Amino acid sequence: MQENIHEKIEELRSQFQQSINGALDLEALEKLRIKFLGKKGEVTALMRTVGRLPAEERPLFGKLLNEFKNAAEEMLESRKKQLKEKDASLRWEKERLDMTLPGKPFQLGRKHPLTLISEEIEEIFSCMGFQIVEGPEVELDYYNFEALNMPKEHPARDMQDSFYINSEVLLRTHTSPMQIRAMEAMAPRLPVRIICPGKVFRRDDDMTHSPMFHQVEGLVVDKGITMADLKGILLLFTREMFGEGRELRFRPSFFPFTEPSAEVDISCIICGGSGCRTCGGTGWLEILGSGMVHPRVLEVSGYNPEEVTGFAFGMGIERIAMLKYGIEDIRLFYQNDLRMLQQY
Amino acid sequence: MKVPYNWLRDYVEIELLPEELAERLTMAGLETGAVNVFAPLGEKFVAGRIESLRQHPYASNLQLVKVDIGNEFLEVVCGAKNIKKGDMVPVALTGAVLPGGAVIREAEIKGIVSPGMLCSGEELGVEIAEDEAGIMLLDIKCSPGDRIIDLLPFNEPVLEIDLTPNRGDCLGMLGIAREVAAITGKKIVLPPNEVQEEGKEIDELAAVEIKDPDLCFRYTARIMEGFSIKPSPLKMQFRLLAAGIRSINNLVDVTNYVMWETGFPMHAFDYDKLAGGKIIVRRAKQGEELVTLDGVKRILDPNVLVIADTREPVGLAGVMGGENTEITAETNRLLLEVASFKPVNIRMTARKMNLPSEASQRYEKGVDPEGAIFVQNRAVRLINEIAGGKILRGIIDKYPYPMQKREITLRKSKVQEILGYSLPEDRIKEILTGLSLVVKKKDILEHDVSFHVEIPSFRNDLHIEVDLIEELARINGYDKIPITLPAGVLTSGRRSFEQRVISKIKETLLSCGLQEVITFSFINPKLFDLLQLPSDDIRRNTVKLQNPLTEDQSVLRTTLIPELLKLLQYNFNHQTQNQFIFEIGKVFFPSEKNKLPLEKKFLALVLSGKKPLGDWQNPPKPLSFYEIKGILETLMQSLGIKETRWEEASLPLLHPARGCKILVQGKEIGFAGCLHPFLQEKLDFKQEVFLAELMLEPLLEACTLIPKFRSLPRFPSVLRDAAFIVSRKVKAEDLLQTIRTHGGELLEEVVLFDVYEGKQIPEDCLSIAFAMTFRHPDKTLTDEEIDQILEKVAIALQEKFNATLRKS
């Protein structure tokens, strides 16, 4: 009788094996499962016959049958996984996309290159605790010239330099009037630490001059401010703006509202100082004017030059943008050719 | 200012090479560019003595000239006629390269071989006076065979110094020499100025009267007679040419030479042409006339200072002499003027007459009255040296208000306070003395030392203590100033609210795909006509420039739109069809109360083209008004501004039926719409253009950068769609308002998501569909509750707008 049991189960096993090999899709596999392991399947049918066996054979029969059931389930599961993968890979092949077709364009707005430069400068100084202030583009003669030590007869006031509205009012020719305005607003509080970016106007129009252009003015007034501090701040700024390796050169110069005054050169950002076309072979590029605030300027703005000192500097944003971007004609900034603007 | 290197060495010992000197001067504040070489010449030119001349056998206009060149004789062919036996002339030997590049070879000229060439100034690359006469005659001591480059200042390095306007004293070689002396620690050497007077006393012949001492500080005169006018010695001519001054004749050349030397302009009158032998320095009379040396008749007025004789003006003081007293070949006696005038007056006159000159340029910067006598003597001495003649006895010197000596107190502590480092007392003294300043006295204070420094009259730029500190700093070298960072209390560099809002606006617009532009603050007022702004439009009331460069930049803008439309046009013409641009900038309105105009920041948007850009699946779609409105709505949302209304209006610039005012919290802040079709046609735009302009100030007021937190809902929402058929005349905003009102508190949001016309909808109607979101804060809403609200909404719409709910 025992052999009979083994035979029966063996037969079932080989039957199952054959069927599972012949099941080529998930549907056939499911049918197979029902046929063998379903509620009315072969295993259940065999189980029902257990009662007809002698009592001593029953445990063995049950054990063998269970073993088969477990093995069958395992095989089914693994076959199912196999078929699923095959199925999916067929489907995915049909879903294949040409990954080299162009993506859908999104329109990106851009800032004007002068805004980019200005913001970069503002950020550097802002991080050093400079407040960013703005002033009027149309200015009183007093702030633009008089208070800056440029009395009525000063050559810089010649009509060919400035756009006048009337004898007392003009378009500011530089951002320096904000030195006075900022100090007037602050005095007698200390310290004054500001930068002032903005538009300025001069009667000039060629490759390197635009009747409107942008400057940034800087001013620090406090007790104990020295020219050494001016050097330190500008060196810090230049290295942030143009890179770690940059060197600065301070040359004596003249501005009516600073004394001592200094023109500041940066080691050429194109050739690094060895001499090239951009720097005219000198290795240096002039980028800003600076100096210690003139005592009279402090005085008219409400500070006592015996108690406080200060430094000021000013630079042209276009000049820096031209150097940084390699633009040779200043007028391009105001032509607003979108093909140019969208490069930045 | 051009400074020939070897000329400069007359006044100060220089051990530096020209390039080194240029660098040192630059670093001391006298910005010196590249060093150029004046009259470059090679070696194969020598002095030759003419031994004999004979006629060329085959050419009547040529001669054969035998020259001694030291070790041999050459016979060269020459066409010039100005040479004779015994003359010393430059000879180009074979192999010599002329400045023009030509190489001298043994050449056959009309059958005779010429083993070299006698040279003119022009052939040697220098434009000496009366060169047309022919071969250059060497007027210096030399021997046959001497190299020309050793005899004359060929190959002269010339420093080009770009002076700052405060350093008028350096507009003369002596001033530069003083700087060199201070930098290098050498002493300056003044040129000789002792004179040998003879003949009559000047007072017997001439008198000077200064009628306007406010404009003329000092006037000196000397008279010379019996000189002979001819070309200057070659050396002087070369020096002047190297300095960029044309050589005229020995008299004019001396005045220029001494001006270059001392920085002091001067003028020579033909004494015999001066009526009454008198110089009167006075303001011109209204309408008085003077023909200046350039042949131009000038009409004068009392703002102009003139030099006059007893009859009429004979010169514009400090600017240009008059034709009536010009020195000519016939001149026997001259009166030399060395004077000091008020800088501003000279500048005004030179500008008014459009006569900028080397002289006026120096007077404008201020000429030191104290130096006049030295200069007067130096000039007549030189004239005497090269032109001969007598220097009459005496000098006229009118100096009504002699300059007071100026003293500045310099504290050692202040040097440290300004420069950030301390200079030893000895070094301070050394630098000041090197600059010809006089340290008169030293005071020892409690914690300080102070110096009393006397300022020489030629340094009219030094007035206060810091001026001296700058002198110390620049001569010691700015590179000696240490590098430190300011000490002191911390300050916040945080941006202001306005700056942050503007950043946010820019960011939002960039995210919407708009390009930022920057246009000029001034525009052409004719654009207002072009854009057909009504005559009473306030934007026509502009701030006008007195002296614009062009009409295109003649008034300050009152709106950003005109320039943006021009920009649009420009870019259309350059094949950019899709343009989405914005600008934030100031506009200007005249102010009645203040001197300064009102400056207001505006934001303008101009859009034209297609959007989205299109791709290989979806073609691009032309823009509609709703794109620009969408961008503005996004902007409002990003700024946290609620209560924006779009009020239909017929506005200038805009399509009469496609324009609106924008209101924020009930206040009008700008407009948006489609460009008026007529303007579109006029500007030759082939496609629709959409524009908007807003004032920034009200946006700033309404803006909330930090939104208030609303707790997240705990119960689910219910979404319902409903479409209504309404007349085309009904405005969407009115429908939305009604839905909001009657939807009550439970209606969280209503979105208009579809507008349909066509089948099943009457022709004069539209079907408008809304998506409504309902939510109760404390429970889940039931269908019945929502149906009730919807019914209320439907009834209200029915009553107000005759809208019918569309059954799906």
Side-chain angles (χ1 to χ4, degrees):
Chain A
M1 224 18 215
Q2 275 194 12
E3 275 161 43
N4 197 12
I5 294 166
H6 284 289
E7 266 170 38
K8 267 192 174 168
I9 296 217
E10 205 42 55
E11 199 191 314
L12 192 63
R13 196 187 303 277
S14 90
Q15 232 182 42
F16 181 76
Q17 193 72 57
Q18 265 179 24
S19 314
I20 204 164
N21 288 342
L24 294 177
D25 53 38
L26 287 168
E27 206 180 331
L29 199 69
E30 180 61 12
K31 272 186 187 154
L32 187 71
R33 188 189 67 80
I34 292 164
K35 183 176 172 215
F36 285 89
L37 304 176
K39 277 182 186 162
K40 294 172 184 165
E42 306 269 349
V43 172
T44 317
L46 268 180
M47 205 53 107
R48 286 207 186 100
T49 66
V50 79
R52 282 185 257 147
L53 291 177
E56 67 274 17
E57 287 181 12
R58 283 178 201 168
L60 177 66
F61 182 75
K63 183 177 167 244
L64 287 174
L65 201 60
N66 258 333
E67 270 173 16
F68 167 74
K69 196 182 163 191
N70 287 342
E73 270 169 359
E74 218 167 275
M75 282 164 79
L76 271 172
E77 205 45 52
S78 114
R79 179 69 178 159
K80 193 173 171 185
K81 207 176 148 202
Q82 207 181 355
L83 285 176
K84 236 185 174 169
E85 269 168 22
K86 197 175 134 205
D87 216 44
S89 70
L90 280 173
R91 198 171 65 238
W92 290 341
E93 191 49 47
K94 280 186 205 141
E95 289 168 4
R96 181 175 289 280
L97 290 183
D98 178 355
M99 302 313 278
T100 67
L101 273 172
K104 297 195 181 183
F106 277 85
Q107 190 169 306
L108 189 59
R110 286 167 200 276
K111 287 180 181 169
H112 193 282
L114 293 176
T115 304
L116 292 174
I117 296 288
S118 185
E119 283 181 355
E120 204 179 339
I121 297 171
E122 287 167 32
E123 195 191 325
I124 295 168
F125 283 106
S126 184
C127 291
M128 295 196 278
F130 285 66
Q131 235 181 344
I132 302 160
V133 299
E134 286 169 65
E137 289 175 28
V138 186
E139 191 50 284
L140 289 173
D141 182 278
Y142 173 78
Y143 288 108
N144 197 74
F145 290 133
E146 192 94 37
L148 292 167
N149 272 342
M150 281 178 270
K152 280 271 181 272
E153 318 83 48
H154 201 277
R157 312 173 131 229
D158 280 6
M159 286 291 272
Q160 69 254 31
D161 299 326
S162 318
F163 290 109
Y164 280 92
I165 304 296
N166 58 48
S167 63
E168 272 178 276
V169 179
L170 73 164
L171 305 191
R172 67 174 171 194
T173 56
H174 48 183
T175 42
S176 308
M178 273 313 285
Q179 288 186 28
I180 313 288
R181 286 183 178 273
M183 280 191 276
E184 278 183 354
M186 272 295 279
R189 284 167 292 160
L190 290 171
V192 181
R193 252 176 234 160
I194 57 132
I195 63 160
C196 170
K199 294 182 169 116
V200 299
F201 306 84
R202 288 187 201 172
R203 296 191 77 236
D204 256 332
D205 200 353
D206 58 42
M207 278 263 288
T208 51
H209 297 92
S210 170
M212 180 184 98
F213 60 104
H214 291 76
Q215 282 187 340
V216 179
E217 192 81 7
L219 173 73
V220 173
V221 175
D222 201 354
K223 288 197 160 96
I225 293 295
T226 71
M227 205 154 168
D229 297 331
L230 167 67
K231 276 180 113 172
I233 288 286
L234 289 181
L235 188 65
L236 209 61
F237 162 73
T238 320
R239 293 198 169 154
E240 287 286 332
M241 190 78 196
F242 296 102
E244 266 312 306
R246 301 292 157 217
E247 291 303 330
L248 281 189
R249 184 173 85 164
F250 285 71
R251 275 185 292 113
S253 188
F254 171 74
F255 305 106
F257 42 95
T258 50
E259 188 80 13
S261 303
E263 201 87 65
V264 184
D265 303 333
I266 175 179
S267 55
C268 180
I269 59 171
I270 309 292
C271 65
S274 55
C276 66
R277 200 170 67 93
T278 305
C279 60
T282 63
W284 296 101
L285 295 167
E286 193 179 309
I287 53 157
L288 52 85
S290 65
M292 299 300 291
V293 182
H294 197 285
R296 262 201 302 271
V297 172
L298 287 171
E299 221 163 51
V300 300
S301 311
Y303 289 97
N304 181 351
E306 280 300 308
E307 284 166 12
V308 304
T309 47
F311 64 73
F313 55 87
M315 62 190 115
I317 296 179
E318 279 80 357
R319 164 100 179 131
I320 292 175
M322 286 166 87
L323 287 174
K324 252 195 138 156
Y325 298 134
I327 294 169
E328 291 189 354
D329 188 340
I330 194 172
R331 292 170 294 199
L332 280 172
F333 291 117
Y334 299 104
Q335 197 163 39
N336 286 306
D337 191 316
L338 295 180
R339 294 167 302 178
M340 182 249 186
L341 295 183
Q342 275 160 11
Q343 295 173 19
Y344 298 98
Chain B
M1 158 116 183
K2 284 185 172 162
V3 177
Y5 172 74
N6 286 302
W7 186 358
L8 185 62
R9 292 174 108 169
D10 278 7
Y11 315 112
V12 63
E13 189 188 331
I14 301 174
E15 284 160 356
L16 301 164
L17 294 173
E19 285 74 17
E20 293 168 343
L21 180 64
E23 168 80 13
R24 294 287 293 275
L25 285 171
T26 297
M27 296 315 288
L30 276 66
E31 196 178 345
T32 307
V35 176
N36 294 310
V37 172
F38 167 74
L41 194 74
E43 293 183 356
K44 295 201 159 181
F45 297 84
V46 297
R49 183 191 295 121
I50 295 175
E51 293 298 318
S52 64
L53 302 104
R54 63 187 175 103
Q55 182 63 46
H56 190 293
Y58 317 118
S60 59
N61 58 340
L62 297 176
Q63 296 186 93
L64 301 180
V65 184
K66 193 171 168 194
V67 284
D68 175 3
I69 56 163
N71 44 6
E72 59 176 316
F73 292 94
L74 296 178
E75 188 166 59
V76 298
V77 179
C78 181
K81 297 282 180 271
N82 67 325
I83 43 176
K84 59 182 189 305
K85 183 171 184 296
D87 281 349
M88 296 294 292
V89 295
V91 185
L93 306 177
T94 54
V97 184
L98 295 178
V103 182
I104 300 297
R105 301 182 201 289
E106 245 179 46
E108 200 186 284
I109 301 166
K110 301 272 181 188
I112 303 280
V113 172
S114 182
M117 185 178 96
L118 308 189
C119 303
S120 67
E122 196 186 338
E123 280 156 343
L124 296 177
V126 283
E127 245 184 281
I128 54 173
E130 295 182 26
D131 193 37
E132 54 270 38
I135 302 304
M136 178 190 278
L137 301 175
L138 299 174
D139 59 359
I140 31 181
K141 252 195 181 165
C142 57
S143 312
D146 287 353
R147 289 195 313 180
I148 293 295
I149 53 172
D150 297 333
L151 298 174
L152 286 168
F154 282 97
N155 300 317
E156 170 73 5
V158 179
L159 280 63
E160 180 93 49
I161 305 183
D162 190 5
L163 290 166
T164 52
N166 58 326
R167 293 305 302 272
D169 63 304
C170 286
L171 284 167
M173 307 278 288
L174 275 171
I176 311 260
R178 250 181 236 115
E179 289 288 308
V180 175
I183 298 167
T184 58
K186 306 284 184 196
K187 288 236 150 24
I188 72 156
V189 184
L190 292 177
N193 75 328
E194 302 78 22
V195 295
Q196 200 77 53
E197 297 174 332
E198 50 187 313
K200 281 188 182 158
E201 280 289 338
I202 188 168
D203 291 342
E204 294 172 34
L205 294 172
V208 171
E209 184 188 353
I210 301 176
K211 281 209 165 144
D212 290 296
D214 58 324
L215 300 184
C216 176
F217 306 140
R218 190 176 195 179
Y219 197 103
T220 69
R222 269 191 182 277
I223 294 179
M224 288 187 71
E225 62 179 28
F227 40 80
S228 58
I229 299 175
K230 58 186 181 194
S232 304
L234 284 177
K235 194 175 157 193
M236 179 180 278
Q237 292 198 40
F238 267 67
R239 283 190 163 183
L240 288 173
L241 287 169
I245 301 167
R246 236 154 47 89
S247 171
I248 312 289
N249 60 45
N250 50 4
L251 287 191
V252 178
D253 286 0
V254 167
T255 59
N256 282 329
Y257 188 91
V258 177
M259 174 175 76
W260 218 255
E261 191 172 68
T262 61
F264 225 116
M266 63 205 73
H267 182 69
F269 298 96
D270 184 330
Y271 167 76
D272 295 299
K273 291 179 192 157
L274 286 171
K278 190 167 180 193
I279 293 286
I280 302 165
V281 188
R282 61 167 169 84
R283 287 186 160 83
K285 294 169 193 148
Q286 189 65 45
E288 220 170 1
E289 292 175 1
L290 172 69
V291 179
T292 40
L293 284 174
D294 53 2
V296 180
K297 187 202 270 184
R298 316 270 171 183
I299 313 290
L300 312 175
D301 63 68
N303 289 321
V304 177
L305 186 72
V306 294
I307 311 300
D309 57 15
T310 54
R311 188 170 52 217
E312 59 183 355
V314 295
L316 295 175
V319 178
M320 192 178 264
E323 227 175 43
N324 48 10
T325 49
E326 188 179 2
I327 303 269
T328 63
E330 287 75 46
T331 300
N332 280 321
R333 293 191 282 187
L334 68 79
L335 181 142
L336 186 69
E337 159 200 296
V338 175
S340 175
F341 304 108
K342 187 176 185 183
V344 186
N345 183 263
I346 304 300
R347 192 163 68 86
M348 303 271 279
T349 304
R351 215 175 63 200
K352 195 156 54 188
M353 307 280 173
N354 197 19
L355 269 180
S357 64
E358 291 288 351
S360 68
Q361 192 201 329
R362 284 169 174 76
Y363 279 123
E364 283 175 22
K365 306 253 156 68
V367 156
D368 169 25
E370 290 288 309
I373 300 291
F374 176 89
V375 173
Q376 181 66 259
N377 289 340
R378 170 72 181 146
V380 291
R381 179 193 164 103
L382 260 188
I383 294 173
N384 172 262
E385 258 175 40
I386 69 169
K390 284 194 278 192
I391 302 164
L392 299 195
R393 285 180 208 283
I395 187 165
I396 296 175
D397 180 12
K398 295 292 172 190
Y399 194 10
Y401 305 106
M403 259 176 84
Q404 300 301 309
K405 287 250 184 295
R406 209 163 54 240
E407 242 180 60
I408 300 172
T409 306
L410 171 69
R411 288 163 294 175
K412 189 166 178 280
S413 62
K414 196 74 182 175
V415 177
Q416 158 110 43
E417 194 185 313
I418 295 290
L419 301 182
Y421 76 113
S422 171
L423 271 176
E425 277 177 47
D426 290 350
R427 182 65 182 140
I428 292 178
K429 273 195 196 160
E430 185 185 21
I431 292 173
L432 297 178
T433 313
L435 285 164
S436 311
L437 311 191
V438 187
V439 181
K440 295 199 73 171
K441 190 168 125 219
K442 186 176 100 175
D443 285 344
I444 314 280
L445 309 172
E446 201 173 330
H447 299 289
D448 204 353
V449 174
S450 76
F451 303 94
H452 298 268
V453 184
E454 190 182 289
I455 308 303
S457 55
F458 51 80
R459 287 304 301 271
N460 63 6
D461 60 319
L462 304 180
H463 297 278
I464 55 175
E465 194 176 25
V466 281
D467 294 337
L468 293 185
I469 295 172
E470 183 180 62
E471 295 300 293
L472 297 175
R474 70 182 183 88
I475 299 298
N476 203 43
Y478 275 13
D479 55 331
K480 304 281 194 324
I481 298 172
I483 294 170
T484 58
L485 285 175
V489 298
L490 284 179
T491 44
S492 162
R494 191 165 188 240
R495 285 156 183 275
S496 69
F497 178 73
E498 177 182 326
Q499 285 157 354
R500 280 178 285 142
V501 174
I502 289 176
S503 282
K504 183 116 192 192
I505 293 174
K506 284 191 182 177
E507 268 166 41
T508 308
L509 295 177
L510 295 183
S511 311
C512 293
L514 268 59
Q515 167 70 47
E516 187 195 14
V517 299
I518 299 176
T519 64
F520 282 160
S521 298
F522 26 50
I523 59 169
N524 191 333
K526 283 201 175 131
L527 286 171
F528 297 136
D529 296 333
L530 180 75
L531 299 177
Q532 297 175 335
L533 279 191
S535 56
D536 59 347
D537 195 298
I538 61 153
R539 286 170 287 194
R540 279 182 179 273
N541 187 14
T542 56
V543 177
K544 292 161 191 67
L545 301 192
Q546 236 176 28
N547 56 339
L549 278 175
T550 74
E551 200 187 359
D552 273 349
Q553 306 165 353
S554 60
V555 304
L556 294 180
R557 62 187 176 186
T558 48
T559 157
L560 307 178
I561 298 288
E563 278 298 309
L564 294 187
L565 290 177
K566 265 174 71 185
L567 192 160
L568 207 64
Q569 201 169 36
Y570 169 90
N571 282 297
F572 280 143
N573 290 340
H574 289 80
Q575 297 179 306
T576 309
Q577 303 311 321
N578 290 328
Q579 300 189 50
F580 312 94
I581 56 176
F582 77 96
E583 178 170 15
I584 295 177
K586 279 180 175 173
V587 300
F588 305 82
F589 298 99
S591 162
E592 281 173 17
K593 279 181 280 167
N594 299 309
K595 285 178 184 165
L596 292 181
L598 282 175
E599 298 188 10
K600 299 262 176 213
K601 279 192 181 143
F602 272 29
L603 159 67
L605 280 61
V606 173
L607 274 65
S608 188
K610 290 171 174 167
K611 203 184 176 187
L613 299 172
D615 54 68
W616 44 271
Q617 281 182 319
N618 310 294
K621 285 190 199 129
L623 287 180
S624 75
F625 167 75
Y626 299 105
E627 254 91 19
I628 198 166
K629 183 173 176 184
I631 291 169
L632 289 168
E633 280 171 339
T634 307
L635 179 64
M636 299 301 176
Q637 206 175 17
S638 137
L639 297 178
I641 293 176
K642 294 182 189 105
E643 290 181 59
T644 311
R645 279 199 300 141
W646 309 78
E647 201 172 85
E648 273 180 29
S650 175
L651 299 170
L653 299 169
L654 300 183
H655 188 304
R658 292 184 172 184
C660 64
K661 293 176 182 168
I662 305 169
L663 292 92
V664 164
Q665 297 168 352
K667 242 175 30 195
E668 185 180 338
I669 65 152
F671 65 85
C674 309
L675 184 66
H676 196 293
F678 286 167
L679 292 180
Q680 186 186 329
E681 205 181 300
K682 217 162 147 186
L683 295 166
D684 201 22
F685 293 159
K686 304 279 188 285
Q687 56 194 41
E688 258 189 302
V689 170
F690 307 92
L691 42 114
E693 187 167 39
L694 287 75
M695 300 186 269
L696 274 195
E697 221 170 67
L699 286 186
L700 294 172
E701 279 164 21
C703 162
T704 40
L705 282 186
I706 306 159
K708 218 173 163 188
F709 174 73
R710 283 170 312 195
S711 52
L712 298 177
R714 285 181 299 138
F715 292 90
S717 63
V718 182
L719 185 75
R720 287 287 181 89
D721 292 349
F724 296 91
I725 297 168
V726 290
S727 155
R728 284 173 184 270
K729 287 186 183 135
V730 175
K731 298 292 164 204
E733 182 60 38
D734 295 336
L735 294 173
L736 283 164
Q737 264 318 327
T738 306
I739 295 172
R740 281 191 203 109
T741 313
H742 293 271
E745 281 176 357
L746 299 180
L747 175 63
E748 193 175 71
E749 194 187 16
V750 52
V751 175
L752 190 160
F753 73 93
D754 188 40
V755 177
Y756 175 78
E757 57 186 330
K759 263 192 269 173
Q760 304 158 350
I761 310 291
E763 222 168 70
D764 57 348
C765 288
L766 292 171
S767 160
I768 301 181
F770 301 91
M772 290 169 266
T773 310
F774 296 93
R775 193 197 301 271
H776 194 288
D778 304 316
K779 62 173 191 177
T780 305
L781 286 169
T782 62
D783 279 350
E784 291 92 71
E785 285 169 309
I786 292 165
D787 287 342
Q788 273 175 20
I789 301 171
L790 269 181
E791 206 181 310
K792 257 171 48 190
V793 168
I795 290 168
L797 291 175
Q798 164 76 46
E799 281 172 359
K800 273 189 143 169
F801 307 110
N802 199 24
T804 49
L805 182 65
R806 206 171 154 207
K807 300 281 186 301
S808 48

